[in-house]
Each structure stands twice: as C-alpha cells, then as structure tokens.
Amino acid sequence: MGKQIVITGASRGIGFETARILADLGHSVIAVSRSEDGLKKLQSTSAGRIIPLSLDLTRPDSVQRIIDLILKETGGVDALIHNAGLLINKPFPELTDSDWMDQWQLNVMIPVRLTRELLPYLNPEAHIVNIGSMGGFQGSSKFPGLSAYSVTKGALSILTECLSAELASQKVSVNCLCLGAVQTEMLEQAFPGYQAPLNPGEMGEFIANFTLNGHQFINGKILPVALNNPG
Ligand SMILES: NC(=O)c1ccc[n+]([C@@H]2O[C@H](COP(=O)([O-])OP(=O)(O)OC[C@H]3O[C@@H](n4cnc5c(N)ncnc54)[C@H](OP(=O)(O)O)[C@@H]3O)[C@@H](O)[C@H]2O)c1
C-alpha cells in the first residue's frame, strides 16, 4: 500500500529527485519548499501523487501549515525526510553570528520543531530520515569553510541517536544519512568547479529506498553515504 511521506527541500537537488522517485513508486508525497516553480516542475515531472506546499520553513506558521495539509490530504505520516538545508561556506573568522544562526535554524531547529509537532500524526512503524553530511560525521575529513555547517549537521546526527531512544516506545525509527558530495546547486555554490561522483537522481534513489525499507534493519544510526566528501 502507498505510504504517506513528508519531505522538506523538494524544489531542487537531492530532495526533488527523492520526492519524484517516491511518488513514482506510488506513494503520496507532501513536498515542501519555498519555490513554487520548483514544486510545479516536480509535480509535472512525476507521474505520481505530489502534494506541493510552498512555504519558508523558517516562518512561524510553517509547521501548522504542514499539519493542516497532512490532515486534509493524508491523515497520517509514514515517513518524514528532513532534507532542506543551508550551507554557508566561509572561513571561521568571517562567519558571523547570523551565518551560524541561519544554518542552525534550518539544519537543526526546523527538524527539531517539525518532528516534535508532527509526532501525534506519525503512524506506527514510521521512519524519520535526517539528511546529514559527512561534515557532521565524527572522524571524517573536514574542509575549511564548513565549520558552522558541519557543527549543525553534527547536531543533527546526535539528535538522531537521542530521538531513536525516545521514540522507540512509539515504534518510530530515526536514522541519519551523512551524505558525501552530490552534484547540486548547493555543492556548486560552495565548491565551484568541483565534480561530485554522484548526481541527485542517484542519491535520491538511495534515500528513497532507505526511507521505505531501511528502518526494518537499522534504527538510531548515523550512516556515512559517501564516495568522497566535501559537502
Ligand atoms: N549536495 C551535497 O553534496 C550534499 C552533501 C552532504 C549533505 N547534503 C545535504 O543534502 C540536503 C539537500 O542538499 P542539496 O544539495 O540538494 O541542496 P540544494 O540544491 O541547495 O536544495 C536545498 C533545498 O532546500 C530548500 N530550502 C532551503 N531553504 C528553505 C527554507 N527556508 N524553507 C523551505 N525550503 C528551503 C530549497 O528550496 P527553496 O529554495 O525552494 O526553498 C531546496 O529545495 C541538505 O540538507 C544538504 O545539507 C548535500
């Protein structure tokens, strides 16, 4: 039976491809991003059920609008993919407080808030997938310019372990995929000219499959998904 899935950051890049693949497989996908054009393109590219929601996740009413749409369209959630992210590449001395806070807000507080407020709507056996980064994977190579971004992704990794312990009684699984480099606008802006070994479609395929099946085998884990790793 088709699952009900919510994914953030679906207007382009990895989120776009993940949403497209999940919808093409017959699942209902609430696709959240600011860009209406990006979401329209997603809808027209997919043969499946994409329910677009254009909003800025950092606005105070964003979570309520997502809940309203869940109640109207699906009633419950089987998978929640926290994919929207912000990367500001600057040397540590140049990173301002607002650079730190903007990345913290989107990369950590939005998954925190969205998870907390969506808990009552998560179906039994639901899977929360946090899209982390190798930058936030302990012991991996680190790259100059990514200190704030990597700290936020590290926080998302640890949040994964904490939530999986707290949500076990509700039969909700939580995992974090720490991605290596994927050829997207984010990577292009942060590392102009860098050639990633994977495209968003290839990574989307992996994330879609992991979201649907991974929690039958894995819970509370921080998993590197990388061939190499600026990103
Ligand atoms: N690409 C890589 O090499 C790489 C490596 C490791 C981890 N990751 C992680 O993978 C995820 C996806 O990355 P990507 O490379 O596909 O990034 P991307 O091309 O920059 O896409 C980011 C997505 O997030 C959405 N978004 C950003 N700010 C938002 C906001 N305030 N409200 C709602 N949506 C917002 C964007 O849509 P709108 O602009 O339309 O809102 C867009 O759909 C991120 O979490 C990133 O950190 C990527």
Side-chain angles (χ1 to χ4, degrees), residues 4-196:
Q4 324 296 334
I5 297 167
V6 176
I7 180 167
T8 64
S11 65
R12 60 173 187 265
I14 296 164
F16 181 104
E17 292 297 331
T18 305
R20 180 186 62 75
I21 292 162
L22 286 166
D24 286 351
L25 287 170
H27 306 289
S28 293
V29 180
I30 293 184
V32 183
S33 268
R34 290 166 301 187
S35 164
E36 261 182 65
D37 288 348
L39 292 174
K40 274 191 190 137
K41 187 174 163 207
L42 173 62
Q43 248 189 326
S44 64
T45 310
S46 169
R49 184 161 186 243
I50 297 279
I51 305 154
L53 181 58
S54 164
L55 54 72
D56 184 338
L57 283 160
T58 63
R59 304 273 310 230
D61 64 345
S62 64
V63 174
Q64 191 54 52
R65 287 182 58 195
I66 294 170
I67 290 171
D68 290 346
L69 195 60
I70 290 168
L71 289 174
K72 181 167 165 257
E73 298 283 350
T74 64
V77 175
D78 297 303
L80 171 58
I81 308 174
H82 294 296
N83 167 77
L86 176 66
L87 184 160
I88 299 173
N89 180 357
K90 278 188 192 175
F92 176 77
E94 291 170 27
L95 278 167
T96 63
D97 283 5
S98 66
D99 292 332
W100 278 89
M101 293 316 295
D102 288 353
Q103 290 175 96
W104 183 259
Q105 168 82 339
L106 194 63
N107 298 349
V108 182
M109 286 315 299
I110 295 302
V112 164
R113 198 175 301 140
L114 204 48
T115 300
R116 185 183 61 216
E117 303 304 322
L118 260 53
L119 279 179
Y121 308 99
L122 295 184
N123 293 330
E125 318 293 336
H127 191 191
I128 299 173
V129 179
N130 293 324
I131 302 300
S133 162
M134 285 305 288
F137 188 79
Q138 197 192 7
S140 66
S141 315
K142 296 296 182 276
F143 290 86
L146 298 189
S147 57
Y149 172 77
S150 300
V151 166
T152 65
K153 291 297 190 178
L156 191 63
S157 295
I158 299 302
L159 177 69
T160 302
E161 294 181 328
C162 298
L163 279 182
S164 83
E166 288 215 20
L167 301 184
S169 58
Q170 204 178 319
K171 295 200 183 316
V172 170
S173 303
V174 192
N175 287 297
C176 183
L177 300 178
C178 296
L179 309 189
V182 182
Q183 201 62 43
T184 65
E185 278 179 38
M186 177 186 278
L187 188 86
E188 190 66 51
Q189 273 176 13
F191 300 97
Y194 182 87
Q195 239 350 90

